[in-house]
Amino acid sequence: MTTTPTPPPPPAADAVLEALAEVLEVRRHADADDSYVAALHHKGLNRILEKVGEEATETLLAAKDAGYENDAAKRQALVAETADLWFHSLVMLSHLGLDHRPVMDELARRFGVSGHAEKAARTGA
């Protein structure tokens, strides 16, 4: 009797971001024929921004479809589209020599601060 090995558990969210940052850095310099990420970098910032825009639109449409219904398939579609948006946003940051860390630092800085106060501080309003 053969048993299928149990796959390891998925890493914690912060570990996922760290692992993804490493993969994006490696693939940024890979052959464009072998890597989707490398192909995006090869096509340049404008193409990456187009992808972020496309994914943002698809995420908005999925959210509209999901609405307030408790439809598991629609909610999963929203999760999948949001993952695509985040992924392409990370590719954009990578192209500009950044990764998720400054974004996470900024979110941490805002934690516990009133959204109204934080926005006023940014806009000088």
Side-chain angles (χ1 to χ4, degrees), residues 84-98:
D84 289 347
L85 175 59
W86 289 9
F87 174 81
H88 286 88
S89 295
L90 291 170
V91 172
M92 173 192 66
L93 290 171
S94 172
H95 192 78
L96 297 170
L98 296 166

Side-chain angles (χ1 to χ4, degrees), residues 4-51:
T4 306
T6 305
D14 58 340
V16 169
L17 288 173
E18 289 298 327
L20 188 52
E22 289 177 27
V23 169
L24 289 176
E25 183 59 27
V26 168
R27 291 188 183 165
R28 177 179 181 182
H29 304 290
D31 186 325
D33 291 333
D34 296 333
S35 166
Y36 173 70
V37 170
L40 283 174
H41 283 292
H42 180 74
K43 291 175 184 173
L45 182 60
N46 283 344
R47 179 61 186 139
I48 294 168
L49 296 177
E50 287 172 4
K51 285 302 297 180

Side-chain angles (χ1 to χ4, degrees), residues 15 101 107 109:
R101 291 175 195 96
L107 288 171
R109 183 192 69 76

